Amino acid sequence: MTIRNRLLTVALGLVLSGCNMVISDEPWFTEPGPVQQKTGLWVMLEKADCPVSATTSLAAMPDCASPILIIDGAYSGPPNDRSLPDAVRYDPAKWDRIDHVLTDGTPMVDQLRFDATKPNPGAPPPAFRGKVTYLYLAVKPTGFDAEGRIISARRWPVMCGPLARGEKDASGGPRFVTARPYAGMRLVHDMACNARDVAALREAAAISESSAPGAGFLIIESRWLRDAP
């Protein structure tokens, strides 16, 4: 059930799987919160000791680090296709873009806009095909600069409910969405859910920090690296 949109191999890659995640056809949020991430090049880390520094070039990024450019209310990142020449793969002008709105709260909720109406949107599950869909990440800041901008954070998907890795449905096949949705969640498309209201969405974001790893999702450590790619 994984969408391999060419954008953002780690953080957004796990979100765009869509399975057992809160989605919506219309945005819950239109304005960002007062505290935002510092613009520039960030890295999404699969492990805390990933060997990457402010001087690591894009081409030299280790497998445990995925570069993401955060600017102008959007995330952008290099294509997944490693067969592309570096001059193409690491040219920010050719990177894909996903618009987002980062709201306040504890944790913060990051609303991602996935447009499956564009050419070559990957191979989206039925919940996404031919339309714009909004997905949600929880963001817990772990560091700020002198101006109060976020420079490091933990991220995880906002889930519909607990789902054990390898859990089976009634027919014995793989289960793609919880059988025990969190309060205020309505299951849709046999693989995702809608929130009843913003309060339910925010509550699910908080609970999902503990349940995401059991469902096979990474808790992504991320940090600002430098101003430009």
Side-chain angles (χ1 to χ4, degrees):
M1 284 286 186
T2 298
I3 296 174
R4 279 303 174 190
N5 188 34
R6 294 178 295 119
L7 177 62
L8 314 184
T9 57
V10 177
L12 301 188
L14 67 84
V15 169
L16 295 179
S17 70
C19 296
N20 199 40
M21 288 195 57
V22 180
I23 65 173
S24 63
D25 291 334
E26 299 294 333
W28 279 112
F29 309 104
T30 57
E31 296 295 331
V35 178
Q36 292 295 299
Q37 300 164 111
K38 185 174 181 177
T39 60
L41 184 69
W42 283 62
V43 284
M44 303 295 167
L45 306 173
E46 293 188 31
K47 56 181 183 179
D49 60 350
C50 184
V52 61
S53 73
T55 59
T56 304
S57 70
L58 291 173
M61 288 283 174
D63 289 342
C64 55
S66 292
I68 292 180
L69 189 62
I70 300 180
I71 192 168
D72 296 333
Y75 296 117
S76 62
N80 288 342
D81 187 354
R82 294 181 180 272
S83 68
L84 294 172
D86 287 355
V88 174
R89 191 161 187 253
Y90 298 118
D91 179 358
K94 295 181 172 63
W95 288 3
D96 293 307
R97 172 188 171 110
I98 288 183
D99 293 329
H100 79 108
V101 176
L102 180 62
T103 71
D104 56 3
T106 306
M108 304 170 83
V109 175
D110 201 4
Q111 175 181 271
L112 309 176
R113 183 181 185 273
F114 178 69
D115 188 352
T117 66
K118 295 180 179 179
N120 301 317
F128 300 88
R129 290 177 189 160
K131 64 179 183 179
V132 172
T133 302
Y134 296 88
L135 304 96
Y136 298 89
L137 274 178
V139 177
K140 179 183 286 187
T142 56
F144 300 87
D145 68 6
E147 297 179 34
R149 298 171 297 187
I150 301 166
I151 55 172
S152 63
R154 289 164 51 88
R155 304 167 194 266
W156 60 89
V158 181
M159 299 174 58
C160 301
L163 180 66
R165 192 181 311 190
E167 188 173 332
K168 305 294 184 182
D169 61 18
S171 67
R175 179 178 289 282
F176 298 114
V177 69
T178 183
R180 305 171 300 282
Y182 296 137
M185 296 297 155
R186 178 176 62 87
L187 302 184
V188 294
H189 307 293
D190 297 322
M191 52 80 70
C193 63
N194 297 148
R196 177 185 59 212
D197 50 31
V198 169
L201 174 62
R202 291 191 180 279
E203 182 176 359
I207 299 171
S208 295
E209 182 177 13
S210 60
S211 58
F217 288 107
L218 292 172
I219 302 293
I220 298 296
E221 301 286 347
S222 61
R223 71 172 187 261
W224 181 86
L225 203 63
R226 55 180 178 262
D227 288 320

